[in-house]
Amino acid sequence: MRIRALALRIVRQFIRDRRTIALLFLAPLLVLTLMYFVFNGQSVKPDLATIGIPAEWHSKLEQAGAKIEPYSSLPEAEADLRKGKLSAILSTEGNRFSVRLEGSDPSESKSALLLIQQTLQSDIERDLTSSAWSAKLDISYEHGEGRLTSFDSFGPVLVGFFSFFFVFLLAGVAFLREKTTGTLERLMASPIRRFEVVFGYLAGFGVFTILQATLIAWFSIQALGLYMDGSFWLVLLTNLLLSLVALTLGTLLSTFAGSEFQIIQFIPLVIVPQVFFSGLFNLDAMNPWLQKLSYAMPLYYGADALRGIMLRGEDLPDIQIDIYALLAFSIAFIVLNMAALRKQRAF
Amino acid sequence: MAERAGEKTVRSNRTDDPVAAIELLKVTRSFGSRKVLHEIDLAILRGELFGLLGPSGSGKTTLVKLIAGLDAPSGGSVLLLGERMPNRRVLGRVGYMAQSDALYSELTGKQNLEFFASLYGLSGARRTERIASVMKLVDLTEHLNKPVSAYSGGMKRRLSLAVSLLHEPELLLLDEPTVGIDPVLRQSIWTELLSLRDKGITIVLTTHVMDEADRCDRIGLIREGRLTAVDSPEGLKRASGASTIEEAFIVLGGGTRA
Ligand SMILES: Nc1ncnc2c1ncn2[C@@H]1O[C@H](COP(=O)(O)OP(=O)(O)OP(=O)(O)O)[C@@H](O)[C@H]1O
Ligand SMILES: [Mg+2]
């Protein structure tokens, strides 16, 4: 009864606050769309300078998506390479082939190198006995059939991140306002139980969280065409659990904040580290001891589950550890929230 | 709901119940090393209109919050309506109005009242009826559907008072209820408070306004966390040899005529 009243009140407050609704629902879509255009655009066409390369290779490289610019002398090409006009120079000297890469943009260099390797390896193998390129590459893909763009591969993490971030922010600010305007104290002067306050908040925010999670998942998969190999319901479940953690963590931390600005100060402390450990960046090269930090971060489990579901088509048994971890975080934060409310009323 | 049925029987024999509505036994409250309330002993009787009078920072709000159960004493004990605090259930029989308005400014007056009414277990027709009744009392009926952000300061104060009256509490704790309210409306609110008192409701309020203190059954003078005198307005004047409460307050409060 009191839980319902609290939830209804939160819904009513939200509906009156158009800006906040927009932040919750439209901001994630906007940023996702931007990310989509940045990382999913046409792959960069490497500019290749060629010197003394057979003409038939030119057309092959061009078909593979390179922009070919024949040069007559190496120094001339190298000058342009230095200025950044070229991605790579492909040249022959006697019967040796050499590729010189521009190198300041690793992804561009990599794509240039890959393109050269893939289009020319069979020819090089046949025509010359170059020791360096003699092995024939046999490329195949376990997931995504080679169609995955970088957006596809970190899209699932973003989907989880936005559910987490915006719910954290809004719940934190909403609960803080309750505290600073004195309404929380007024609430505690009524015979409400502490758990009713916490669950009222969960229920009220839950309504918007479900809508937001559905919208983000639907938009990224249907409208942006994010690669999706698993069950939509599992994506939704994971997103919901992530938002639940965000909600309980946000309200908990707002107990330690005195103003909206102090909530913002939690972002670099609480949100940013989680982004680093969530799988956006490959952690294999990191100190194994540091890697273990990711086990303390809710977003890590959410992102792991979402990637599993969307990229590898994993089912519930495969992601259950992540689900349990998220549930455990939520329960722990709920208990801590109830304890923190003791600050408002001694019992 | 069973809880509320129980309250009704308590209320019906309340007037001839000799037990004090509020009993404070050696209540102290410290913030860190600073003692804000010093061993307060006070009994407020049922059906009494009790005023707490004291300068700014003397500890009135701290005392009211202790009574309302929002804060726990560092020492001593608080008995509220016969129940030893802390006790959650007894809060349903108390109406509390904080010194600063605690309202949801995005919501309309009506939505605020609906929310608080639900917290006290009011629903359906009874809730509608209570909302209409308290809003009439504080003269806000025509502003029922305005968002609170569009209310004036005095209107917010009146809405806070309405919230505290919603569930027909047997004890009212009002922290400076009439601040920012114009004289005409203040008059009508006092008329209402007196009629609530006559119905047997215990009222504890804090005030800075002397003529308000004069209308209380008894006054507690509080100064630097100490209860310096507790008596009826006449008793205080007699004891201090002063003709007005204001003078009595100065004499009894600090012991000096400033
Ligand atoms: N949370 C707190 N932490 C530290 N000190 C506090 C706290 N709350 C109140 N105080 C101190 O306790 C003293 C009494 O404060 P209180 O709010 O009870 O005064 P008051 O009589 O209600 O004053 P006013 O008439 O201005 O409302 C003040 O000196 C105040 O600084
Ligand atoms: Mg005060």
Side-chain angles (χ1 to χ4, degrees), chain B residues 78-120:
Chain B
V78 179
L79 272 88
L80 199 55
L81 300 170
E83 307 275 357
R84 198 182 180 85
M85 296 302 277
N87 179 313
R88 188 185 57 82
R89 290 192 159 208
V90 79
L91 296 183
R93 295 153 64 190
V94 177
Y96 171 65
M97 176 179 176
Q99 184 170 358
S100 54
D101 299 305
L103 300 164
Y104 298 98
S105 56
E106 304 93 333
L107 302 183
T108 63
K110 186 165 171 236
Q111 289 174 330
N112 269 282
L113 290 167
E114 282 171 351
F115 170 61
F116 285 110
S118 305
L119 290 185
Y120 287 93

Side-chain angles (χ1 to χ4, degrees), chain A residues 83-329:
Chain A
K83 284 184 217 147
K85 281 189 191 163
L86 298 168
S87 317
I89 305 170
L90 181 61
S91 60
T92 52
E93 236 179 291
N95 64 357
R96 284 183 63 90
F97 279 84
S98 60
V99 177
R100 186 162 177 79
L101 295 160
E102 195 267 335
S104 69
D105 181 347
S107 70
E108 192 184 322
S109 300
K110 206 163 154 191
S111 74
L113 187 62
L114 210 67
L115 188 140
I116 295 168
Q117 271 179 317
Q118 283 174 1
T119 34
L120 299 183
Q121 61 167 315
S122 53
D123 295 280
I124 294 168
E125 221 180 344
R126 185 160 15 98
D127 294 350
L128 308 145
T129 44
S130 160
S131 59
W133 291 20
S134 62
K136 187 175 185 301
L137 276 180
D138 196 7
I139 297 166
S140 66
Y141 292 89
E142 178 73 32
H143 299 292
E145 300 119 26
R147 289 191 289 110
L148 289 190
T149 62
S150 37
F151 181 71
D152 286 322
S153 88
F154 65 65
V157 181
L158 288 182
V159 168
F161 172 73
F162 287 123
S163 293
F164 191 86
F165 179 67
F166 288 104
V167 171
F168 171 85
L169 206 60
L170 292 184
V173 169
F175 202 67
L176 178 92
R177 282 229 302 254
E178 185 104 52
K179 203 176 69 170
T180 52
T181 57
T183 49
L184 183 59
E185 184 192 271
R186 185 62 192 79
L187 215 58
M188 297 312 271
S190 81
I192 198 167
R193 294 177 184 87
R194 277 179 291 139
F195 86 84
E196 289 174 321
V197 176
V198 175
F199 282 85
Y201 256 76
L202 290 186
F205 266 88
V207 174
F208 293 96
T209 308
I210 291 175
L211 289 177
Q212 191 219 33
T214 316
L215 184 66
I216 293 181
W218 172 84
F219 182 81
S220 50
I221 294 166
Q222 297 300 325
L224 298 182
L226 193 60
Y227 187 82
M228 171 66 169
D229 202 16
S231 148
F232 184 79
W233 296 109
L234 283 182
V235 171
L236 212 56
L237 173 72
T238 314
N239 249 13
L240 260 179
L241 286 174
L242 257 181
S243 324
L244 184 65
V245 177
L247 170 58
T248 49
L249 180 64
T251 53
L252 181 64
L253 289 183
S254 72
T255 330
F256 305 104
S259 66
E260 271 95 342
F261 185 56
Q262 286 183 354
I263 296 271
I264 306 289
Q265 289 167 1
F266 280 122
I267 293 174
L269 284 176
V270 176
I271 302 291
V272 175
Q274 296 207 56
V275 173
F276 283 114
F277 283 87
S278 65
L280 276 186
F281 305 97
N282 196 324
L283 297 183
D284 292 341
M286 195 192 246
N287 181 328
W289 186 84
L290 276 178
Q291 275 182 38
K292 294 222 163 53
L293 275 180
S294 57
Y295 297 135
M297 306 201 175
L299 197 55
Y300 164 81
Y301 298 97
D304 188 59
L306 286 170
R307 287 194 132 172
I309 300 161
M310 297 179 73
L311 297 180
R312 296 189 287 275
E314 286 180 0
D315 227 324
L316 196 55
D318 306 303
I319 56 162
Q320 56 177 335
I321 302 266
D322 294 317
I323 300 289
Y324 292 144
L326 290 176
L327 276 175
F329 274 112

Side-chain angles (χ1 to χ4, degrees), chain B residues 55-62 64 99-100 175-176 206 208:
Chain B
S56 186
S58 55
K60 302 183 296 294
T61 299
T62 311
V64 170
Q99 184 170 358
S100 54
D175 200 350
E176 305 197 8
T206 71
H208 288 290

